[in-house]
Amino acid sequence: MSDAPVLIGRGLTKRYGDVVALDGVDIEVWRGESLALTGPSGSGKTTLLHVLAGIIRPDSGTVHLEGRRIDDLDDRLRTRMRARHFGFVFQEGYLVPELTALENVALPLLLQRRSKDDAFAEARRWFEPLGIARLERRRPGELSGGQAQRVAIARAIVTGPSVVFADEPTAALDTETTHRTMELLEQVTRHAGAGLVVVTHDPAVAARCDQQMSIRDGRIGVPA
Ligand SMILES: Nc1ncnc2c1ncn2[C@@H]1O[C@H](COP(=O)(O)OP(=O)(O)OP(=O)(O)O)[C@@H](O)[C@H]1O
Ligand SMILES: [Mg+2]
């Protein structure tokens, strides 16, 4: 296990007009560990996730990935850094509807200019461990919510990211499917040695994670 956090946010602030979405957040993410972010609607969870992942820039504060500052990179470099080092799972999966499950998982590798053979071989490896081995040729419209999230997990992990970010990954799933989906998400990230940041409203999902942080009005507090 590494002796330094893979991702460090320090003094992060973000405003939207009069709204203070983040108000001085310090946060650390460790390889092979999961961190749950909980808090009421509008408390700043998604904003924090987007700042950590380099999707938006903070107004002040810093984000370091493996010792390298990433918040001040220009848009082009931040986009490249995101594709290379981060994976994402969202509430609805955001799979590309026209592509098969296998093509969806291979897509991040193809965007990194990996050869087609290579990308598909790499993508195919994830279907068995995620329990979706027979679904490679289905399109997202032909998958259940839980199956679609497994495909989304495969797509998030296929590039070998340092950190996987998940924003309400189980919000559209029933209790049993939530449990199984979280189990798989934790397993694959831990096994790959990636950090996992999960935004969730669900106390049962948060309780599964190695660490919990609650956020309220853009500030980190202790979990309720
Ligand atoms: N692009 C934006 N423009 C203006 N205000 C925004 C924007 N994004 C977020 N906000 C505001 O910032 C605050 C934090 O929003 P954020 O989306 O981070 O909350 P959240 O904790 O993820 O909420 P939820 O649980 O509902 O998803 C809210 O007051 C929100 O209205
Ligand atoms: Mg949100």
Side-chain angles (χ1 to χ4, degrees):
M1 191 58 57
S2 53
D3 57 0
V6 59
L7 191 71
I8 303 176
R10 288 277 178 260
L12 297 170
T13 69
K14 180 73 191 173
R15 285 173 158 275
Y16 293 106
D18 289 342
V19 175
V20 180
L22 293 180
D23 190 10
V25 170
D26 295 320
I27 188 168
E28 295 177 349
V29 181
W30 294 78
R31 279 191 175 275
E33 291 193 9
S34 54
L35 167 64
L37 286 176
T38 62
S41 184
S43 58
K45 303 181 296 294
T46 295
T47 305
L48 177 55
L49 191 146
H50 286 180
V51 165
L52 290 174
I55 294 171
I56 55 176
R57 291 174 80 158
D59 295 335
S60 61
T62 57
V63 181
H64 285 82
L65 172 69
E66 273 158 352
R68 178 174 173 224
R69 189 165 171 188
I70 58 169
D71 59 277
D72 60 351
L73 298 174
D74 67 27
D75 285 355
R76 191 180 57 88
L77 285 175
R78 256 193 3 266
T79 301
R80 202 159 78 189
M81 180 278 305
R82 267 203 313 276
R84 217 176 262 173
H85 297 287
F86 295 151
F88 296 91
V89 181
F90 298 101
Q91 176 173 344
E92 299 293 352
Y94 290 120
L95 299 173
V96 181
E98 293 82 7
L99 300 182
T100 65
L102 183 65
E103 289 164 346
N104 266 282
V105 176
L107 190 58
L109 297 171
L110 295 170
L111 292 174
Q112 289 182 7
R113 300 172 193 276
R114 295 272 292 271
S115 78
K116 248 183 151 173
D117 283 354
D118 209 26
F120 282 102
E122 191 62 35
R124 201 166 272 123
R125 283 185 35 210
W126 290 97
F127 280 72
E128 182 78 43
L130 285 163
I132 46 176
R134 295 203 306 279
L135 306 177
E136 287 181 10
R137 291 143 89 92
R138 299 252 192 112
R139 288 173 212 283
E142 301 161 341
L143 299 172
S144 72
Q147 290 167 344
Q149 284 308 65
R150 293 180 192 208
V151 174
I153 291 170
R155 186 184 54 180
I157 202 77
V158 74
T159 53
S162 303
V163 182
V164 172
F165 294 96
D167 197 349
E168 301 280 4
T170 59
L173 306 178
D174 64 40
T175 310
E176 177 59 32
T177 314
T178 289
H179 177 73
R180 188 67 190 127
T181 303
M182 275 304 295
E183 193 168 70
L184 287 167
L185 185 57
E186 285 164 359
Q187 272 174 12
V188 296
T189 49
R190 196 181 302 275
H191 189 253
L196 173 62
V197 181
V198 182
V199 165
T200 182
H201 279 107
D202 185 341
V205 168
R208 301 183 59 100
C209 293
D210 298 313
Q211 266 194 82
Q212 292 95 34
M213 288 176 81
S214 82
I215 179 161
R216 185 174 289 267
D217 298 330
R219 288 172 165 271
I220 297 293
V222 285

